[in-house]
Amino acid sequence: MIKDRITYPFTAIVGQEQMKTALILNVINPLLGGVLIRGEKGTAKSTAVRALADLMPTIQKVKGCKFGCNPYGSEFCPDCEAKIANGQPFEIYESKMKVTDLPVSATEDRVVGTLDIEYASSFSSDCVGDVLFNFTPIPIRHP
């Protein structure tokens, strides 16, 4: 059973100005691609990241959607597309944004997946073309 963890406030972290600035800038513009934090044990690296999650705004999601689609967005997962096609209204709820801690060795293809070229090449060339050129990414969001 996971107990609620008391989070140290982000504003109470003394020093580490470059780290705090980098984290805040990454929240403002996620296209920066993340922040690599390194340092000695006990320098508030994990504490700062956990505390940052409490500062992040809530987001609206489609209730029951396993991908957490934005109800006001322009791209939806297949399940939400089906609801739109059937004229079903979305139930909307608010959720806190989540911060994911990844090891330094994590690469983008390991986190979000990749196309298995070896498997795809075992099909006829027409099928491979369909796989490569008709690929529609599904937006992945934390539920």
Side-chain angles (χ1 to χ4, degrees):
M1 181 168 115
I2 299 175
K3 296 181 181 179
D4 287 335
R5 181 185 291 196
I6 297 173
T7 305
Y8 195 75
F10 189 81
T11 55
I13 297 172
V14 177
Q16 304 292 357
E17 298 306 320
Q18 287 182 329
M19 174 182 65
K20 292 191 296 187
T21 301
L23 289 168
I24 290 169
L25 288 173
N26 200 68
V27 169
I28 293 168
N29 185 2
L31 294 176
L32 292 174
V35 177
L36 174 63
I37 302 172
R38 65 185 186 110
E40 298 293 322
K41 184 176 181 180
T43 54
K45 299 177 300 291
S46 297
T47 302
V49 172
R50 288 187 198 109
L52 182 69
D54 286 342
L55 296 179
M56 296 170 78
T58 59
I59 55 174
Q60 293 185 331
K61 298 181 181 182
V62 174
K63 188 172 186 176
C65 176
K66 59 186 169 187
F67 297 104
C69 286
N70 176 355
Y72 305 109
S74 59
E75 296 180 7
F76 297 97
C77 70
D79 293 340
C80 291
E81 286 282 352
K83 282 185 179 182
I84 292 169
N86 294 331
Q88 295 176 319
F90 289 137
E91 283 188 54
I92 301 169
Y93 74 101
E94 286 199 355
S95 174
K96 290 188 77 165
M97 286 187 171
K98 294 182 182 173
V99 174
T100 304
D101 233 340
L102 296 173
V104 174
S105 61
T107 59
E108 187 175 0
D109 62 324
R110 297 255 178 179
V111 175
V112 298
T114 186
L115 181 63
D116 188 347
I117 298 295
E118 190 173 317
Y119 177 77
S121 65
S122 67
F123 294 99
S124 71
S125 61
D126 292 337
C127 291
V128 173
D130 287 345
V131 169
L132 295 177
F133 298 113
N134 293 328
F135 176 73
T136 305
I138 297 173
I140 299 175
R141 297 181 181 93
H142 291 289

